[in-house]
């Protein structure tokens, strides 16, 4: 086998360039399957690289299953493994319409994503995240072989303690427990706080994963309408008296999907009623940091005996930087730490270090401030555009990621979303957020993704077709 020298380009690691060159030769059929590569000594001379650089590249190629190696014999091009032509790939995930519509919202499968639950990548402070990662990887404090601390990295929990104090919640660091993400945090809390057959109260509409997760725990779900002006407290009291739910899972600031936040007076009345009927609250505060002037959190008003607080960083930092945390009463915090150990839910210490650096060095606060301002500007434009399209926002936009709006009369949100998928655009119809038929003509808009001319042109075109113009 003849291997020629590589014209290395400045600015790209030589390891990466070797891997790319060898991969092209193998995948392009230039090197026959099973053929033997020259020795490591010969390759280093031909390529003009160190043995360390070459071995790193060869290891990566083995990891891609493009090369194999044999002790004392050297490296060989991997033999092709033919896939039987009669065997087709099968999608085992649910194929109903709502499941199909939900998938591109969780995965970046669509080019245009006005229904997404996350910020666009160009809104994220990716350079700060990369810089924090580089610093953490080089730091001796990172325990490469460790399993992580059960309650979470102490410096991070101390930084979270300071952040919570600034939000009005003073809590001992022992009662702050990290989790890999908010859904897993909720899942563990449900296992600790409920039993099959218990009743749990949810907002309607609400984040679609809440319904799916609670179904796994075998609890009975009852809902209370989350209106533009808050809750109907007469209806809430009747519901509490009749169903006696043990838990109320809610979002007090910038609720998903409506964007509504409880005012202090609404929060006070809610806490009064749930205390009267012995209904514990889990407060999901994943979006609160996106509010330009957030009202007090329920946990800050009532304390942790009545409210368990759950938050994280996936919405502002990155969906791949999934460090979340629970703030709970002492015994519940202890039980949660034990459950993390027993269920393998210990949080990645690498990501804990990254979030700690961003909190302690100020990059998170600066990015949060810029993001809130950008959302305010984009939200104002999207709100006006939706009105011009004939859509009716449920409430005046006050900040955050989402606008919940009613579509023009006669337009079915699911059908509109289905049509949009054919054009690689992911929308979020109201049916994803609850079972109430009244949501059938509503839709959630992510203002960061919707404030885009291509999105708006395509949406207007599909809307005109839907109303028959």
């Amino acid at each position: 086998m003849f291997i020629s020298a590589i014209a290395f380009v400045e600015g790209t690691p030589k390891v990466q360039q070797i891997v790319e060159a060898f991969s092209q030769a193998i995948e392009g059929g230039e090197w026959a399957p099973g053929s033997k590569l020259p020795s490591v000594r010969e390759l280093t001379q031909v390529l003009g690289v160190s043995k360390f650089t070459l071995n790193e590249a060869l290891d990566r190629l083995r990891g891609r299953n493009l090369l194999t190696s044999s002790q004392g014999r050297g490296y060989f091009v991997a033999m092709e493994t033919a896939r039987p032509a009669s065997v087709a790939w099968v999608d085992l995930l649910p194929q109903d319409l709502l499941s199909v519509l939900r998938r591109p919202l969780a995965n970046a499968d669509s080019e245009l994503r006005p229904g997404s639950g996350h910020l666009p990548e160009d809104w994220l402070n990716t350079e700060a995240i990369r810089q924090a990662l580089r610093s953490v990887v080089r730091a001796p404090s990172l325990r490469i072989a460790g399993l992580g601390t059960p309650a979470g990295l102490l410096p991070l929990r101390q930084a979270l303690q300071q952040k919570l104090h600034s939000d009005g919640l003073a809590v001992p660091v022992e009662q702050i427990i990290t989790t890999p993400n908010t859904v897993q945090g909720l899942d563990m809390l449900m296992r600790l706080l409920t039993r099959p057959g218990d009743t749990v109260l949810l907002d309607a509409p609400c984040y679609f994963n809440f319904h799916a997760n609670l179904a796994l725990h075998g609890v009975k779900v009852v809902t209370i309408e989350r209106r533009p002006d808050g809750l109907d407290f007469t209806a809430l009291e009747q519901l509490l008296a009749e169903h006696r739910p043990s838990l109320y899972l809610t979002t007090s600031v910038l609720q998903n999907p409506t964007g509504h936040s409880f005012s202090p007076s609404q929060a006070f009345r809610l806490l009064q009623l749930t205390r009267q009927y012995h209904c514990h609250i889990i407060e999901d505060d994943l979006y609160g940091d996106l509010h330009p002037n957030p009202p007090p959190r329920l946990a800050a008003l009532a304390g942790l005996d009545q409210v368990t607080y759950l938050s994280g960083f996936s919405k502002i930092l990155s969906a791949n930087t999934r460090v979340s945390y629970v703030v709970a009463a002492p015994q519940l915090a202890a039980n949660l730490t034990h459950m993390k150990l027993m269920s393998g839910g210990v949080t990645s210490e690498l990501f804990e270090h990254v979030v700690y650096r961003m909190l302690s060095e100020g990059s998170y606060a600066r990015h949060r401030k810029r993001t809130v301002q950008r959302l305010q500007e984009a939200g104002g434009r999207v709100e006006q555009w939706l009105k011009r399209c004939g859509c009716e926002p449920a409430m005046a936009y006050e900040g955050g990621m989402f606008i919940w709006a009613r579509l023009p009369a006669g337009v079915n949100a699911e059908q509109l979303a289905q049509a949009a998928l054919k054009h690689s655009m992911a929308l979020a119809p109201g049916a994803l957020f609850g079972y109430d038929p009244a949501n059938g003509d509503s839709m959630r808009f992510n203002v960061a993704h919707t404030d885009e001319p291509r999105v708006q042109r395509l949406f207007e075109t599909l809307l005109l077709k839907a109303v028959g113009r």
Side-chain angles (χ1 to χ4, degrees):
M1 175 188 292
F2 174 76
I3 295 181
S4 60
I6 297 174
F8 291 112
V9 178
E10 290 291 332
T12 302
K14 289 184 178 180
V15 169
Q16 180 180 334
Q17 295 184 62
I18 294 171
V19 170
E20 290 174 354
F22 282 23
S23 296
Q24 290 176 4
I26 295 171
E27 293 171 343
E30 183 179 341
W31 297 353
S35 57
K36 186 178 184 298
L37 271 64
S39 69
V40 169
R41 183 178 60 81
E42 292 175 295
L43 286 172
T44 57
Q45 292 175 348
V46 170
L47 300 175
V49 298
S50 68
K51 185 177 179 181
F52 175 85
T53 297
L54 179 66
N55 283 332
E56 175 70 18
L58 295 174
D59 282 344
R60 294 189 188 185
L61 290 161
R62 282 195 308 174
R64 294 186 182 185
N65 295 320
L66 295 176
L67 293 181
T68 62
S69 64
S70 176
Q71 182 69 32
R73 295 184 61 206
Y75 288 87
F76 298 82
V77 177
M79 299 297 293
E80 290 182 336
T81 55
R83 180 180 298 175
S86 61
V87 177
W89 177 78
V90 178
D91 186 353
L92 299 178
L93 292 173
Q95 298 302 309
D96 61 281
L97 177 59
L98 291 182
S99 296
V100 171
L101 293 176
R102 187 180 294 126
R103 275 178 236 163
L105 302 183
N107 307 305
D109 293 338
S110 299
E111 181 182 1
L112 305 175
R113 307 182 69 215
S116 171
H118 298 91
L119 293 172
E121 185 167 345
D122 60 4
W123 278 55
L124 304 176
N125 194 355
T126 54
E127 181 52 38
I129 296 174
R130 294 181 192 277
Q131 184 176 346
L133 275 167
R134 288 192 292 267
S135 298
V136 168
V137 170
R138 290 195 298 264
S141 58
L142 178 63
R143 303 181 302 170
I144 299 297
L147 294 176
T149 306
L153 183 72
L154 181 58
L156 172 60
R157 291 189 292 135
Q158 290 170 332
L160 292 172
Q161 183 184 35
Q162 295 178 5
K163 181 181 184 300
L164 290 164
H165 189 270
S166 67
D167 292 331
L169 183 58
V171 60
V173 71
E174 295 81 6
Q175 294 173 231
I176 303 171
I177 311 299
T178 64
T179 64
N181 54 70
T182 52
V183 173
Q184 189 164 353
L186 172 63
D187 186 75
M188 289 190 288
L189 287 172
M190 290 299 300
R191 282 190 275 170
L192 291 170
L193 296 174
T194 65
R195 293 292 179 267
D198 286 356
T199 299
V200 175
L201 177 62
L202 288 180
D203 295 317
C206 71
Y207 176 45
F208 48 75
N209 270 359
F210 285 170
H211 283 280
N213 186 271
L214 296 188
L216 297 176
H217 293 280
V219 298
K220 176 185 176 183
V221 173
V222 294
T223 60
I224 181 73
E225 183 183 4
R226 188 73 175 255
R227 307 183 311 187
D229 59 347
L231 303 177
D232 180 337
F233 288 109
T234 300
L236 175 62
E237 184 167 14
Q238 292 174 349
L239 188 151
L240 291 169
E242 179 181 354
H243 295 280
R244 299 286 175 167
S246 59
L247 282 178
Y248 176 27
L249 173 56
T250 189
T251 302
S252 66
V253 180
L254 296 177
Q255 191 251 6
N256 177 14
T258 65
H260 176 264
S261 302
F262 289 129
S263 67
S265 61
Q266 291 169 345
F268 177 80
R269 181 59 177 151
L270 169 61
L271 293 169
Q272 186 182 49
L273 283 174
T274 51
R275 184 185 301 112
Q276 178 182 343
Y277 288 94
H278 307 289
C279 179
H280 190 77
I281 294 174
I282 296 179
E283 180 178 19
D284 171 37
D285 191 36
L286 195 54
Y287 300 93
D289 278 358
L290 296 175
H291 197 294
N293 187 27
R297 272 61 165 193
L298 299 176
L301 294 172
L304 298 174
D305 287 333
Q306 187 179 355
V307 180
T308 297
Y309 180 87
L310 174 65
S311 188
F313 298 96
S314 62
K315 300 304 180 183
I316 295 182
L317 290 183
S318 164
N320 277 330
T321 311
R322 287 185 169 240
V323 175
S324 299
Y325 58 101
V326 173
V327 187
Q331 188 58 58
L332 180 57
N335 293 343
L336 182 61
T337 303
H338 178 71
M339 177 166 284
K340 284 179 64 178
L341 276 173
M342 296 301 100
S343 62
V346 176
T347 314
S348 164
E349 202 165 279
L350 171 63
F351 285 143
E352 288 183 327
H353 274 285
V354 169
V355 174
Y356 165 66
R357 281 185 178 269
M358 299 190 74
L359 285 174
S360 61
E361 295 175 359
S363 60
Y364 175 80
R366 292 190 294 271
H367 172 58
R368 171 181 176 259
K369 184 177 180 179
R370 289 192 298 268
T371 302
V372 168
Q373 181 61 39
R374 289 186 71 179
L375 286 172
Q376 285 280 99
E377 295 168 357
R381 291 189 292 266
V382 170
E383 182 179 37
Q384 294 305 312
W385 167 75
L386 285 171
K387 291 178 179 178
R388 290 196 299 271
C389 288
C391 300
E392 182 183 351
M395 56 179 288
Y397 178 75
E398 60 179 30
M401 200 181 295
F402 304 125
I403 291 178
W404 179 251
R406 189 181 302 275
L407 299 174
V411 177
N412 182 282
E414 290 179 57
Q415 294 175 2
L416 187 65
Q418 191 174 20
L421 273 186
K422 297 177 182 177
H423 299 271
S424 196
M425 181 165 75
L427 295 172
L432 290 177
F433 303 96
Y435 304 113
D436 189 344
N439 295 330
D441 61 356
S442 295
M443 190 164 278
R444 186 192 74 180
F445 294 89
N446 181 317
V447 300
H449 283 276
T450 307
D451 189 31
E452 217 272 47
R454 291 185 303 159
V455 168
Q456 296 179 4
R457 287 195 297 269
L458 178 55
F459 183 84
E460 289 171 3
T461 298
L462 295 174
L463 201 58
L464 287 175
K465 290 181 180 179
V467 297
R469 294 180 187 175

XYZ file of all heavy atoms in Angstrom, residues 11 27 78 139 161 172 227 272 275 286 288 296 299 325 339 341 392 397 437 459:
161
model
N -3.582 25.736 11.460
C -4.801 26.067 12.187
C -5.684 24.875 12.487
O -6.623 24.981 13.276
N -12.991 5.071 2.886
C -14.404 5.116 2.498
C -14.572 5.299 1.000
O -15.594 4.905 0.425
C -15.109 6.231 3.272
C -15.189 5.952 4.776
C -15.683 7.149 5.575
O -15.657 8.279 5.031
O -16.084 6.946 6.739
N -10.203 -2.113 7.792
C -11.270 -3.007 8.253
C -11.985 -3.659 7.081
O -12.164 -3.055 6.017
C -12.259 -2.232 9.111
N -7.707 21.622 34.687
C -7.597 21.844 36.127
C -7.391 20.528 36.873
O -8.080 19.539 36.606
C -8.848 22.539 36.660
N -26.128 28.450 46.142
C -26.630 29.024 47.387
C -26.631 30.550 47.304
O -27.602 31.208 47.693
C -25.769 28.546 48.550
C -26.244 29.014 49.922
C -25.280 28.577 51.016
O -24.057 28.527 50.813
N -25.823 28.224 52.179
N -29.600 26.416 53.532
C -28.304 25.772 53.772
C -27.852 24.981 52.549
O -28.678 24.426 51.817
C -28.581 24.838 54.958
C -29.808 25.384 55.604
C -30.620 25.971 54.495
N -54.912 30.522 33.130
C -55.467 31.563 32.289
C -54.511 32.738 32.176
O -53.548 32.847 32.933
C -56.806 32.036 32.877
C -57.789 30.907 33.135
C -59.120 31.418 33.643
N -58.995 32.370 34.745
C -60.019 32.845 35.442
N -61.245 32.444 35.149
N -59.826 33.698 36.426
N -51.843 29.829 50.206
C -52.827 29.725 51.285
C -53.736 28.511 51.074
O -53.976 27.716 52.003
C -53.659 31.013 51.333
C -54.625 31.099 52.488
C -55.430 32.396 52.423
O -55.984 32.759 51.386
N -55.467 33.115 53.541
N -51.820 25.064 51.251
C -51.477 24.741 52.646
C -52.710 24.230 53.375
O -52.650 23.262 54.140
C -50.922 25.976 53.347
C -50.451 25.693 54.790
C -50.030 26.961 55.503
N -48.954 27.643 54.808
C -49.082 28.818 54.198
N -50.262 29.442 54.195
N -48.069 29.378 53.607
N -37.504 26.556 35.575
C -36.498 26.434 34.531
C -36.361 27.704 33.700
O -35.322 27.930 33.075
C -36.863 25.251 33.621
C -35.788 24.726 32.686
C -34.507 24.377 33.438
C -36.295 23.519 31.919
N -37.269 30.997 34.921
C -37.339 32.217 35.711
C -36.225 33.204 35.430
O -36.430 34.426 35.491
N -41.441 37.205 43.129
C -40.877 36.242 44.078
C -41.294 34.812 43.744
O -42.431 34.552 43.352
C -41.464 36.684 45.425
C -41.876 38.106 45.234
C -42.273 38.225 43.801
N -41.182 29.225 46.511
C -40.334 28.687 47.577
C -39.820 29.785 48.484
O -39.667 29.584 49.696
C -39.171 27.905 46.974
N -30.835 21.315 39.555
C -30.718 21.184 41.006
C -32.087 21.266 41.658
O -33.024 21.871 41.131
C -29.780 22.240 41.593
C -30.168 23.678 41.309
C -30.816 24.446 42.277
C -29.873 24.271 40.092
C -31.157 25.775 42.030
C -30.210 25.593 39.836
C -30.849 26.338 40.799
O -31.199 27.645 40.565
N -31.241 8.409 46.827
C -31.819 7.872 45.595
C -30.867 8.054 44.426
O -30.752 7.178 43.549
C -33.160 8.531 45.292
C -33.774 8.061 43.980
S -35.499 8.501 43.799
C -36.252 7.284 44.883
N -27.695 7.897 44.508
C -26.715 6.820 44.627
C -27.291 5.487 44.164
O -26.654 4.727 43.437
C -26.244 6.702 46.072
C -25.114 7.626 46.510
C -24.901 7.503 48.012
C -23.831 7.301 45.767
N -53.983 35.640 17.898
C -54.332 36.390 19.102
C -53.534 35.876 20.303
O -53.856 34.830 20.869
C -55.830 36.258 19.386
C -56.296 37.040 20.598
C -57.772 36.819 20.886
O -58.456 36.204 20.039
O -58.220 37.252 21.958
N -47.090 40.153 26.028
C -45.765 39.583 26.216
C -45.019 40.362 27.299
O -44.909 41.581 27.240
C -44.988 39.633 24.901
C -43.581 39.112 25.013
C -43.331 37.753 25.099
C -42.502 39.988 25.047
C -42.043 37.259 25.198
C -41.202 39.509 25.146
C -40.983 38.151 25.228
O -39.700 37.674 25.344
N -59.653 20.000 24.410
C -59.908 20.330 22.999
C -59.813 21.827 22.713
O -59.581 22.219 21.565
C -61.338 19.815 22.781
C -61.542 18.775 23.838
C -60.755 19.242 25.020
N -44.653 30.600 7.469
C -45.841 30.487 8.317
C -47.012 31.233 7.693
O -48.148 30.723 7.665
C -45.543 31.039 9.710
C -46.686 30.900 10.671
C -46.892 29.718 11.367
C -47.586 31.950 10.877
C -47.954 29.573 12.240
C -48.649 31.819 11.748
C -48.830 30.629 12.432
